[in-house]
């Protein structure tokens, strides 16, 4: 029987000017896909270029992490953006990152929304279609794969548009009984115990299940596992997760 495989992704390049948040160089030695901030919730030209060069040198796939235009709120504040404007801004972010990815000898390989936009397009069909329209506007044949939550409106819209969809899970986020993420404002939304994060990650990678916030087992079948880079001890935790997965016979490899 073929052993299970999983991609490990992390949000990188989340700095601006002299301010840095993620340990990009160390995380790129662990993950197989890099969700690079494109300047709207974090990131700037110099940071994007540096992360793309580091990722390309390590053979890590580069993804555009697109967001609402919200530097002050780190892209985590709810915003109402007209669909045509959002589509243009998504394409703009992808295009900006593509310049630096190609200069580094690589390319943008997929798209993942960030923060409030990620959560919004789980159920908001209009905003989901706008993100997909932005991906299509950015071009490419057959178009960039879209990384997101299983069963989301985003994946439904992407599938209808002929784009590949890649399902994602989170080892350090709590789930509700219906398989959605527990909102960050709720107690226990972020799992902080490293041992628990490691075991939850292994459960999802090997068996496609996780224990929800209410104690119920929930199916979470994902091709990629997100390791947040903006949490304390992120690098050490990422290494523990990867080591545990490989020890259990799970192949860690990029989905593209």
């Amino acid at each position: 029987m073929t052993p299970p495989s999983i991609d490990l992704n992390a949000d990188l390049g989340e700095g601006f000017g002299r301010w840095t948040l993620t340990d990009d160089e160390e995380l790129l030695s662990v993950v197989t896909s890099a969700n690079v901030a494109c300047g709207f919730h974090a990131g700037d030209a110099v940071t994007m270029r540096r992360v793309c060069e580091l990722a390309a040198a390590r053979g890590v796939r580069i993804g555009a992490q697109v967001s609402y235009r919200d530097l002050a709120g780190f892209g985590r504040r709810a915003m109402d953006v007209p669909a045509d404007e959002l589509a243009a801004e998504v394409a703009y972010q992808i295009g900006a990152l593509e310049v630096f990815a190609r200069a580094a000898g690589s390319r943008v390989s997929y798209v993942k929304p960030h923060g409030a936009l990620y959560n919004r397009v789980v159920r908001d069909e209009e905003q989901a279609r706008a993100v997909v329209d932005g991906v299509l506007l950015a071009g490419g044949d057959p178009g960039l794969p879209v990384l997101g939550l299983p069963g989301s409106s985003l994946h439904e819209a992407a599938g209808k548009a002929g784009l590949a969809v890649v399902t994602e899970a989170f080892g350090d986020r709590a789930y509700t009984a219906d398989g959605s993420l527990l909102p960050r404002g709720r107690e226990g939304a972020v799992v902080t115990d490293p041992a628990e994060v490691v075991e939850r990650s292994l459960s999802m990678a090997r068996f496609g299940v996780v224990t929800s916030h209410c104690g119920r087992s929930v199916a979470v079948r994902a091709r990629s596992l997100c390791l947040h880079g903006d949490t304390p001890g992120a690098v050490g935790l990422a290494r523990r997760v990867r080591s545990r997965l490989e020890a259990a016979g799970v192949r860690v490899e990029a989905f593209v």
Side-chain angles (χ1 to χ4, degrees):
M1 187 175 72
T2 304
S5 65
I6 196 77
D7 169 68
L8 296 181
N9 76 77
D11 303 344
L12 301 177
E14 292 185 327
F16 192 82
R18 297 177 63 186
W19 172 69
T20 58
L21 179 63
T22 50
D23 190 341
D24 299 326
E25 188 162 5
E26 290 300 319
L27 282 167
L28 283 167
S29 69
V30 181
V31 301
T32 47
S33 296
N35 318 316
V36 184
C38 299
F40 272 38
H41 74 281
D44 54 32
V46 173
T47 302
M48 284 190 282
R49 181 180 184 181
R50 176 177 55 80
V51 175
C52 285
E53 289 173 347
L54 290 170
R58 290 161 173 75
V60 175
R61 300 299 186 267
I62 296 170
Q65 187 162 44
V66 298
S67 171
Y68 287 127
R69 188 189 293 269
D70 181 27
L71 272 177
F74 196 58
R76 286 181 175 162
R77 298 185 294 190
M79 303 183 76
D80 290 313
V81 180
D84 59 345
E85 183 178 335
L86 179 59
E89 291 190 339
V90 166
Y92 179 93
Q93 292 174 79
I94 296 169
L97 186 64
E98 179 71 5
V99 168
F100 299 115
R102 288 192 177 276
S106 185
R107 55 165 294 184
V108 173
S109 297
Y110 63 95
V111 177
K112 174 185 173 178
H114 166 81
L117 182 59
Y118 187 100
N119 293 322
R120 181 78 170 263
V121 297
V122 170
R123 293 190 173 89
D124 190 314
E125 295 179 1
E126 182 185 52
Q127 294 280 278
R129 286 195 300 270
V131 171
V132 170
D133 286 345
V135 176
L136 296 173
L137 182 60
D141 185 18
L144 295 171
V146 178
L147 179 61
L149 209 64
S152 62
S153 293
L154 176 65
H155 274 184
E156 182 178 358
K160 288 180 178 178
L163 298 175
V165 298
V166 183
T167 53
E168 179 178 37
F170 297 81
D172 61 354
R173 289 295 309 278
Y175 282 80
T176 65
D178 66 0
S180 61
L181 296 177
L182 190 69
R184 278 186 176 268
R186 295 274 301 276
E187 183 179 354
V190 178
V191 181
T192 57
D193 178 22
E196 185 177 358
V197 172
V198 170
E199 292 309 312
R200 288 167 68 87
S201 299
L202 181 63
S203 177
M204 287 186 284
R206 291 191 67 192
F207 308 114
V209 296
V210 70
T211 301
S212 71
H213 186 61
C214 62
R216 186 178 304 172
S217 183
V218 178
V220 182
R221 301 194 180 279
R223 178 64 186 87
S224 186
L225 183 68
C226 181
L227 305 173
H228 280 109
D230 61 343
T231 54
V235 173
L237 179 57
R239 287 187 176 130
R240 285 184 61 177
V241 169
R242 176 159 186 163
S243 177
R244 183 75 174 89
L245 291 171
E246 291 176 334
V250 178
R251 291 181 294 118
V252 177
E253 59 184 11
F255 59 81
V256 289

